[in-house]
Amino acid sequence: MNPLIGVALALLQFINVSIGARPNILILLVDDLGYGDLGCYGNSTITSVHIDSLAREGALFTQMYAGASICTPSRGSLLTGRYAIRLGLTSNDNRFRTFNSPAQTGGLPHDETTLAEVAKRLGYRTGLIGKWHLGLGRGGEHLPIRHGFDSFFGMPVTNVQSCGNKTVYNLIGNHGEIIDRSFVAYWILLTGKVWMAFIVFSITSWFFARKLAIIVVLLGTGAFAVSVWYTLSFTLISTSSCLLYRNEDIIEQPVHLENLTLRNTNEAIKFIKDAILTPDQKPFFLFMSYIKVHTALFTLPENTGRSLHGPYGDNVEELDWSVGRILETLRMLNVDNDTLVFFTSDNGPFLERGTEAGFCGRATTISGTISEPLRGAKGQTWECGIRVPGIVRWPSQVVPGQVVHSVTSLLDIFPSLLEIWNVPPKSRYPLDGVSVWPHVSLTKDAKISLPLTTAKERDSLFHYCGSTITALRLGKFKAHYWTPVWDAGFQACPSVTICPCLGTQHTPPLLFDIDADPGETLPLDVNKHLEVLSSMDRAIRKHQETIVPVTNQVETLGLPWLFPCCNAHGWTRIFRLVTNSCRC
């Protein structure tokens, strides 16, 4: 060992005492990890020893809910503690439920305060590694560096099938197998009604006004060609959208996925070491936002075939390996006891990806029995879409091995950290989360005295799908006001990539007792629960009175001239944009 490192390690015990109220913060967020994908949540075919150890050494939450059922709004909620509707990061239009292009102008609004900005003001070294998906904007104005992070290494948008060098777009067969289709077939499927109307109009016009018919055919053909070119060049279907950034600079376009988890893990370890071992030692705030396990799936060659559950299992086990490496680094640096770790997922599994998707899992009922599999999928407010793994580990403060059954949310991470830091929230921007600490048992020798007596209790949890409250949790009861219309034989919508939010409206709503029926299989008789429904109606009205209209950030098309293109300027940039050939 380097002598300087030895001296630094010897001093850490004294340093940790001085920053007791400022623990290191490590948020491990996985992309599309299902509630049933880990051993500690009942999975028997995927090995997750390191993540399971977090649960044994901390608190496992059985009812942790995502801030939204899909990437962008969920991540915005986590970082701000506020529903995404307040941030302008929601849409009922399926095309714009997340950022679908790196050339969109919107992003996480700058008048919102992120956890990283609060941590930075408190003297933390802040970093984000992995997935952002909260916008780039003009000149990178919405990148993590502009929202309180000192450093960023990762993908500003997201990993999709095209990032895995796939030239086809997938449909699920009746047994979950992947059926490949060409882009043209995929595009016609998504826009078929428009082109069918165009064909019918053209044929009809031919009999009455042939010149008009010719003009319509030419314009329609041109529109089809332009739409295909635009989609292939400037949306997430383009491999050029698979970007890897360091801070504000593109370093790979398209990103090389195979060893990306290894590189991200090494970046995380370096970030932690730099924060702890440098002369101006600071506590660190690291948001480790994994690219996994969203498709396209990817692993190192040596990790292929290691899982009993095939390629998806390989990906979860490589994720687990990464978590293990990071935890080992904390132990080696002797900061394990003074590091608060949150582990969770941004939403449920992407079941439209068939065998490449995770598991909804089962939950334990209040009577101790195992429920039916959770219903729904990513993008839906059935339990599978929003109930996610949740683990909190803080060896010096949190009693190990505890299980928390209280209703909690990713919205709660923000106020929970504010309470530790003794920082009041801004009154102008009310938080929608509440502290988790009243539900967690602390050690007898905990150094930090938390003001638990002033902690606000959760009275309701609103589940938005897009810009609409489609479900509401109130105590043990959950009401569904809207549910999606699934493809036949599925609890998902592979025919349209992901289920639209507003499928079937329920008046009165479907009502479930989630404590007794987490699988949502037995709707209650609403006539016997009229007071519950009345309380829910009052809660929705009260909540909606607090919603202030804001500029929508996601409902914009990507602008070709804003599309990131590495090492290209002037006419070279124009040529590469037109020919979809941005590479480095």
Side-chain angles (χ1 to χ4, degrees):
M1 178 185 292
N2 187 306
L4 292 178
I5 294 180
V7 173
L9 292 175
L11 294 173
L12 283 176
Q13 290 292 338
F14 301 99
I15 293 173
N16 287 343
V17 171
S18 69
I19 63 170
R22 301 287 185 265
N24 303 308
I25 307 297
L26 174 59
I27 299 175
L28 302 170
L29 181 69
V30 189
D31 198 1
D32 291 0
L33 185 72
Y35 187 78
D37 285 340
L38 303 172
C40 54
Y41 282 90
N43 191 293
S44 59
T45 62
I46 298 176
T47 302
S48 53
V49 292
H50 301 295
I51 300 171
D52 294 348
S53 74
L54 286 175
R56 288 195 306 274
E57 298 166 8
L60 180 145
F61 291 76
T62 63
Q63 294 197 72
M64 178 69 74
Y65 290 93
S69 61
I70 201 166
C71 309
T72 293
S74 177
R75 291 161 184 272
S77 293
L78 186 157
L79 282 175
T80 63
R82 287 158 54 80
Y83 288 114
I85 188 73
R86 302 189 192 278
L87 316 176
L89 295 176
T90 63
S91 176
N92 285 338
D93 187 330
N94 236 28
R95 298 172 300 167
F96 300 112
R97 290 178 62 190
T98 67
F99 286 107
N100 59 33
S101 169
Q104 288 173 275
T105 57
L108 181 63
H110 287 287
D111 57 354
E112 295 288 339
T113 300
T114 68
L115 273 172
E117 289 171 322
V118 178
K120 190 170 184 175
R121 287 198 295 267
L122 294 174
Y124 279 78
R125 179 170 180 161
T126 60
L128 190 154
I129 296 170
K131 175 176 172 175
W132 174 238
H133 213 180
L134 289 172
L136 276 78
R138 300 176 187 273
E141 64 177 319
H142 291 300
L143 284 167
I145 295 296
R146 311 289 183 93
H147 285 285
F149 290 97
D150 294 320
S151 61
F152 169 52
F153 179 86
M155 297 183 70
V157 194
T158 187
N159 168 38
V160 291
Q161 292 185 74
S162 54
C163 301
N165 294 320
K166 293 188 176 182
T167 57
V168 292
Y169 303 86
N170 293 340
L171 183 67
I172 306 176
N174 290 332
H175 301 288
E177 73 274 15
I178 302 300
I179 300 174
D180 293 337
R181 57 187 169 183
S182 69
F183 172 76
V184 173
Y186 171 77
W187 184 245
I188 291 176
L189 179 67
L190 291 182
T191 60
K193 292 181 180 179
V194 174
W195 301 113
M196 183 61 67
F198 162 70
I199 292 170
V200 171
F201 182 80
S202 299
I203 293 173
T204 304
S205 299
W206 181 259
F207 292 103
F208 301 100
R210 294 193 174 185
K211 289 184 178 179
L212 175 61
I214 292 172
I215 293 173
V216 169
V217 169
L218 291 175
L219 290 176
T221 303
F224 181 80
V226 169
S227 64
V228 169
W229 167 76
Y230 174 89
T231 304
L232 285 173
S233 301
F234 304 113
T235 70
L236 295 182
I237 289 176
S238 169
T239 57
S240 297
S241 293
C242 304
L243 299 151
L244 184 66
Y245 270 65
R246 184 178 294 282
N247 298 329
E248 296 182 320
D249 298 318
I250 304 171
I251 59 175
E252 283 182 10
Q253 187 179 21
V255 64
H256 306 303
L257 283 180
E258 184 179 79
N259 67 346
L260 187 56
T261 301
L262 173 63
R263 288 186 286 165
N264 283 346
T265 304
N266 289 340
E267 289 285 334
I269 292 171
K270 182 178 185 301
F271 175 88
I272 293 170
K273 287 183 176 179
D274 287 348
I276 298 300
L277 298 178
T278 52
D280 60 338
Q281 189 265 346
K282 295 180 178 181
F284 64 80
F285 176 94
L286 175 58
F287 185 17
M288 184 68 175
S289 179
Y290 283 96
I291 306 298
K292 292 182 177 297
V293 286
H294 196 298
T295 56
L297 300 178
F298 62 94
T299 56
L300 291 166
E302 56 265 36
N303 291 331
T304 301
R306 64 181 292 175
S307 170
L308 296 175
H309 191 75
Y312 183 83
D314 293 344
N315 273 255
V316 177
E317 294 190 13
E318 187 171 89
L319 160 73
D320 184 71
W321 164 85
S322 171
V323 171
R325 285 286 312 279
I326 295 171
L327 297 179
E328 180 185 0
T329 300
L330 298 178
R331 289 190 289 268
M332 184 192 76
L333 295 175
N334 201 27
V335 295
D336 198 37
N337 285 339
D338 199 43
T339 300
L340 169 57
V341 180
F342 290 93
F343 177 93
T344 189
S345 174
D346 61 347
N347 46 249
F350 198 176
L351 294 190
E352 281 81 1
R353 292 294 175 256
T355 55
E356 294 187 351
F359 295 100
C360 292
R362 301 170 186 261
T364 303
T365 69
I366 194 170
S367 63
T369 60
I370 301 301
S371 74
E372 292 297 312
L374 303 183
R375 296 183 79 182
K378 171 182 177 176
Q380 308 175 34
T381 50
W382 290 106
E383 287 291 289
C384 178
I386 51 178
R387 187 183 286 219
V388 294
I391 303 171
V392 173
R393 174 183 175 270
W394 192 2
S396 66
Q397 312 292 315
V398 173
V399 174
Q402 59 183 295
V403 178
V404 179
H405 297 295
S406 303
V407 176
T408 48
S409 168
L410 301 195
L411 291 159
D412 300 342
I413 293 177
F414 195 110
S416 299
L417 289 177
L418 290 189
E419 192 169 49
I420 290 172
W421 293 331
N422 196 24
V423 173
K426 290 184 177 180
S427 58
R428 181 185 170 192
Y429 297 99
L431 297 179
D432 294 304
V434 298
S435 174
V436 301
W437 301 120
H439 309 293
V440 177
S441 299
L442 300 180
T443 59
K444 293 180 180 179
D445 58 347
K447 299 176 187 176
I448 301 171
S449 177
L450 299 171
L452 300 181
T453 56
T454 64
K456 174 186 173 185
E457 288 287 340
R458 164 166 287 110
D459 48 12
S460 55
L461 184 61
F462 301 95
H463 298 306
Y464 279 86
C465 188
S467 303
T468 303
I469 297 173
T470 56
L472 167 61
R473 183 71 184 267
L474 188 67
K476 68 179 183 178
F477 295 105
K478 180 182 175 185
H480 284 275
Y481 299 93
W482 289 87
T483 54
V485 176
W486 296 327
D487 288 2
F490 298 100
Q491 294 190 22
C493 305
S495 64
V496 289
T497 303
I498 199 165
C499 289
C501 293
L502 307 182
T504 302
Q505 186 172 16
H506 302 282
T507 308
L510 299 176
L511 188 66
F512 296 92
D513 178 345
I514 297 300
D515 285 352
D517 180 25
E520 299 173 291
T521 59
L522 301 170
L524 301 174
D525 184 347
V526 294
N527 292 318
K528 296 180 180 180
H529 297 85
L530 295 178
E531 184 55 39
V532 172
L533 295 182
S534 179
S535 297
M536 288 179 164
D537 289 341
R538 288 194 298 270
I540 290 175
R541 287 196 300 270
K542 182 179 178 181
H543 169 69
Q544 289 177 332
E545 289 172 358
T546 71
I547 302 298
V548 178
V550 295
T551 302
N552 192 284
Q553 302 292 326
V554 291
E555 290 180 340
T556 58
L557 292 173
L559 303 178
W561 52 92
L562 294 183
F563 195 89
C565 191
C566 63
N567 301 330
H569 307 280
W571 287 106
T572 300
R573 172 179 167 79
I574 293 173
F575 175 79
R576 290 186 179 178
L577 289 176
V578 170
T579 58
N580 189 21
S581 58
C582 293
R583 300 287 185 273
C584 64

